[in-house]
Each structure stands twice: as C-alpha cells, then as structure tokens.
Amino acid sequence: ENDGFKAEILAYLAGVDTPKSIKELQSEVESLSGLTNQRITHMLTDLVKGGSLVKEDVKKTPFYSVA
C-alpha cells in the first residue's frame, strides 16, 4: 500500500519547482490527507535512503524534493 503513496509523492514532487514540507504534502496531495505525519515521514525517509528524494532542513523543518 505504501508503494502507491510513494509513487504519488514522487509524481507530485516531480511536477513542482520548490521543495515541500510534510504539512504541504498532506494538504496538496489528496491521498495523503488522511495519513499520519509519522507514516508520511517513514515513506519519505525510505525514498531519501533509496536516492529518489533529497531532504533539506530549513529552520528545523524538513523539506523534500526530487533528487
């Protein structure tokens, strides 16, 4: 099930110009709106470890973009 969400996250981030925070992803990607921050964080961490996404911390808030 998470693989589908990961694919949606990658597709969304590939279509935007600016890195996005978890809160922005929750509000802008409809399928993520019902998920917890912890679950989304886990999926994003997997994508960063896999090399698909890049994480950048700005004032202690993580932002994610396509690698």
Side-chain angles (χ1 to χ4, degrees), residues 23-55:
K23 285 185 180 183
E24 289 172 321
L25 287 171
Q26 275 183 309
S27 66
E28 296 171 17
V29 181
E30 190 175 324
S31 62
L32 301 180
S33 63
L35 301 181
T36 63
N37 273 10
Q38 291 83 358
R39 186 167 178 190
I40 296 172
T41 300
H42 177 73
M43 289 187 283
L44 291 169
T45 301
D46 286 349
L47 290 167
V48 169
K49 287 180 181 175
S52 300
L53 294 182
V54 176
K55 177 183 173 186

Side-chain angles (χ1 to χ4, degrees), residues 4-31:
F5 291 128
K6 289 179 186 179
E8 289 185 50
I9 291 168
L10 285 173
Y12 175 76
L13 288 175
V16 296
D17 294 336
T18 57
K20 298 291 181 177
S21 69
I22 292 171
K23 285 185 180 183
E24 289 172 321
L25 287 171
Q26 275 183 309
S27 66
E28 296 171 17
V29 181
E30 190 175 324
S31 62

